[in-house]
């Protein structure tokens, strides 16, 4: 139980730090926001996508303007290459 609490605390800290860095102008892509993207991945490093059903649940919980921003970012060739699996699933869900 203590290990779970420590792990969750570390993940929350990492997500807050990532959001703070993104807000400071470091990231301009919706795909660079760990707080928004973590529900789509099974690991803290955001390398392994969740199942299609879990991805759809996370996708549907996003606001329509957030979904549009993600799809727009996935339309760029550079971002699409670095997030190919995520973008393929996002396009399947919303575009």
């Amino acid at each position: 139980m203590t290990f779970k609490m420590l792990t969750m605390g570390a993940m929350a800290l990492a997500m807050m730090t990532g959001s703070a860095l993104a807000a400071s102008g470091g990231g301009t892509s919706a795909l660079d926001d760990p707080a928004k993207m973590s529900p789509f991945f099974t690991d803290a490093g955001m390398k392994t996508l969740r199942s299609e059903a879990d991805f759809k649940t996370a996708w549907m919980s996003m606001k329509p303007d957030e979904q549009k921003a993600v799809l727009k970012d996935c339309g760029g060739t550079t971002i699409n290459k670095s997030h190919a699996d995520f973008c393929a699933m996002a396009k399947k869900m919303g575009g």
Side-chain angles (χ1 to χ4, degrees), residues 18-57:
S19 295
L21 289 173
S24 68
T28 58
S29 168
L31 302 178
D32 292 331
D33 185 354
K36 289 182 182 175
M37 295 299 106
S38 63
F40 297 98
F41 295 92
T42 61
D43 55 336
M46 292 192 284
K47 300 290 182 198
T48 307
L49 284 175
R50 294 194 181 275
S51 69
E52 186 172 343
D54 290 341
F55 191 100
K56 183 175 184 177
T57 300

Side-chain angles (χ1 to χ4, degrees), residues 33-93:
D33 185 354
K36 289 182 182 175
M37 295 299 106
S38 63
F40 297 98
F41 295 92
T42 61
D43 55 336
M46 292 192 284
K47 300 290 182 198
T48 307
L49 284 175
R50 294 194 181 275
S51 69
E52 186 172 343
D54 290 341
F55 191 100
K56 183 175 184 177
T57 300
W59 180 260
M60 298 308 287
S61 71
M62 292 177 77
K63 296 176 184 173
D65 59 320
E66 293 172 333
Q67 292 175 351
K68 286 179 185 176
V70 167
L71 291 172
K72 180 182 175 197
D73 289 345
C74 283
T77 56
T78 304
I79 291 176
N80 195 6
K81 286 181 184 177
S82 62
H83 299 285
D85 293 338
F86 176 85
C87 286
M89 187 72 81
K91 288 175 183 176
K92 185 175 182 179
M93 295 294 150

